[in-house]
Amino acid sequence: MKKFYLFVFMFSGFIDLCNANAQSGKRYIITFIAEIPLMIESGIYSRELSAKESFITVSGRLRIALAPRGKMVQSDHLFQTGNPLKKERIAQIEYRYFINQSAVSKWQNLHYKDQERNAFPHSGLLIDTVLRIAEKLTIQFRFKTKTSIIQQHIFNRPQLMPIVGAYRCKQLYNSVDNHHTAKAVASGKDIIPGFNSLQTTSINVTPGKYPEFLINKRSLNKDSCIFYRVKNVKDRNHSDWILTGHLIALPQIKAGQQYQLDIKYAGADIHSSYHVIALPFWYQTSIAKSLILASSVTTLLGATYSLYQLRLRKERQKLKQALSQLKTVQSQLNPHFVFNALNSIEGLITNKENRKANEYLSSFADIMRATLKNSGHLLISLSQEIDILEKYIRIEQLRFEFQYNIIIDPALNLQAIEFPPMLLQPSVENAVKHGVAGMGNAGNIIIVIGRRGNSLEIDIQDNGKRFYPSDKQKSGYGILFTKERIAYLKKLYKKEKITYNLVHADSGTSVRFFFKNWLV
């Protein structure tokens, strides 16, 4: 099988006929004289071949048609790769094409449309498509009676973007150097004198100057095929695309501003971007502005700081006062507890229950020692609080033979949880004296300690039917002390809100303590 690949070279003395449409910079027509002569309509394209001898187009639109016979071909370039077949043999040939590895068409007949011979690209139009970035189109030809490929062309659209290779900064009153403009489109790797190599995508421009950029040269069919646009970083809209050559000058930039320069090839969908920082004059610098504002800012900050310190002192004073009041209320709780306990002991002695009175007195002494030990602490561990509470319940069982149960969530680490001392005792005391007292074994007190998320929840329930001779007893000293302590605790712990709720019902009384975010 004899296989031909597109081998494009400049024919010595090749025909370079440029029509008006081609010179408009949008569409170009290339004639391939091969066994099967073709006409290609493309945007900007590369004159050089890749390693696989493929045609490289920068823009995506691509149309391929049979070249007309027996007339002068008007096109931008003429590439000769072989001798054309006779017109009669064209009818014996078929073609197909595919993009990347996916077939787009089956084998199709190849023929001219005589009535449209002079109207490119309708004269024998084979392909009219748009190549996306990194796509490759392959067109193949063969005789209908054979399977071997007689001619094949490959069209690539790589991701090509203009690259700035060098730059310089000029005074605003200087004009564009025509010599450099000419050299910008000339081949060569040397940097033009006066220009600096650009290795990054960002440059700084000194105040009172503007930048000029040299675009790296590519072997494209047209030198003036680069578009650029500029926008101030603070603005939302870009300027319009402007056609230029390989030298870009930006005299419009202003000191103290930042700009984005976008450049692309004609017909391309993608562009490269560069960040241009026009450095400010001294009076535009942050230091100068800071010096101007320094005195007023210092005064403002000083006043703000003084107000902040005053507010902070007041807040500390409030917290100190709340802490002092909390300790006062907490200290008042101990005499109240002692008074009630002594009344209980007196009742046992009056009833000549000396054994129970001694046992009550011994346990009461343990509770008092623990209470005195914790009197200087704002918080103790929850395990200590439960231990004291349980001792108190047991000594009350000496007088009133009720039942009790303490249910604790096993996920709680009682030793690690801090808790206000003797906060639960007044509520339990009310549950005993105003609830289950006189019920004997039928009386029952249940204390449930659990968690809800990061919050601690404690319920104290009794099944007694409370009787209060007066409204004053409904809010006795124990309840008043509890509410006062919670009010002062709220001032100290603003993030950990504490609520206290007392509910009376025919079936009994429930007291609920809720400590929000207490377990964080």
Side-chain angles (χ1 to χ4, degrees), residues 66-205:
L66 289 175
R69 300 296 189 96
K71 66 184 291 292
M72 176 64 71
V73 176
Q74 191 177 29
S75 62
D76 294 89
H77 290 94
L78 172 67
F79 298 146
Q80 183 155 350
T81 62
N83 296 321
L85 293 172
K86 293 182 179 181
K87 179 182 176 181
E88 293 75 17
R89 300 207 65 186
I90 293 296
Q92 303 173 12
I93 295 174
E94 58 185 2
Y95 78 98
R96 71 175 180 182
Y97 70 97
F98 48 89
I99 296 177
N100 292 341
Q101 301 300 322
S102 301
V104 178
S105 70
K106 298 179 180 179
W107 289 103
Q108 304 178 52
N109 294 330
L110 189 67
H111 59 82
Y112 286 102
K113 297 180 180 179
D114 294 335
Q115 68 275 17
E116 298 177 348
R117 179 177 299 178
N118 296 323
F120 180 83
H122 302 292
S123 177
L125 182 64
L126 306 180
I127 298 174
D128 186 352
T129 188
V130 175
L131 282 183
R132 292 179 297 197
I133 298 296
E135 282 190 337
K136 179 177 71 174
L137 183 145
T138 303
I139 182 171
Q140 296 177 335
F141 301 89
R142 72 178 184 183
F143 286 108
K144 297 178 181 178
T145 57
K146 298 180 180 179
T147 59
S148 59
I149 305 301
I150 63 171
Q151 188 170 318
Q152 173 176 288
H153 303 305
I154 300 174
F155 300 85
N156 276 322
R157 190 191 178 194
Q159 180 171 299
L160 291 180
M161 294 185 294
I163 304 298
V164 174
Y167 77 101
R168 69 174 179 178
C169 296
K170 295 185 63 178
Q171 295 293 342
L172 289 174
Y173 55 80
N174 289 348
S175 60
V176 176
D177 193 330
N178 291 329
H179 173 68
H180 286 163
T181 303
K183 290 202 70 175
V185 298
S187 299
K189 298 181 179 179
D190 296 332
I191 298 177
I192 299 175
F195 281 79
N196 299 314
S197 176
L198 183 62
Q199 304 296 331
T200 65
T201 58
S202 178
I203 69 164
N204 295 331
V205 181

Side-chain angles (χ1 to χ4, degrees), residues 479-519:
I479 295 176
L480 292 177
F481 286 151
T482 300
K483 289 183 176 179
E484 276 192 83
R485 289 185 70 190
I486 290 175
Y488 291 127
L489 285 168
K490 285 181 178 180
K491 293 181 180 180
L492 293 174
Y493 303 99
K494 295 182 179 180
K495 293 182 179 179
E496 300 84 1
K497 296 182 180 180
I498 306 173
T499 58
Y500 170 81
N501 190 27
L502 176 64
V503 179
H504 296 293
D506 293 338
S507 59
T509 302
S510 174
V511 179
R512 172 168 295 180
F513 293 85
F514 188 73
F515 301 80
K516 187 176 181 180
N517 297 325
W518 196 262
L519 303 179

Side-chain angles (χ1 to χ4, degrees), residues 172 203-209 232-234 252-259 275-286 289:
L172 289 174
I203 69 164
N204 295 331
V205 181
T206 54
K209 294 187 177 183
N232 192 309
V233 173
K234 294 183 179 180
Q252 71 270 34
I253 68 171
K254 297 179 180 180
Q257 303 291 322
Q258 296 187 31
Y259 299 86
H275 189 201
V276 181
I277 304 172
L279 299 176
F281 289 99
W282 69 268
Y283 52 82
Q284 295 176 314
T285 60
S286 300
K289 293 178 181 179

Side-chain angles (χ1 to χ4, degrees), residues 27 39-41 61-65 120-121 125 127-129:
R27 307 301 301 165
M39 292 188 71
I40 312 299
E41 187 182 60
R61 186 65 184 276
L62 189 68
R63 291 198 286 184
I64 305 173
F120 180 83
L125 182 64
I127 298 174
D128 186 352
T129 188

Side-chain angles (χ1 to χ4, degrees), residues 31 63 99 122 203 369 374 383 395 410:
T31 302
R63 291 198 286 184
I99 296 177
H122 302 292
I203 69 164
R369 276 193 296 270
N374 298 328
S383 62
I395 63 175

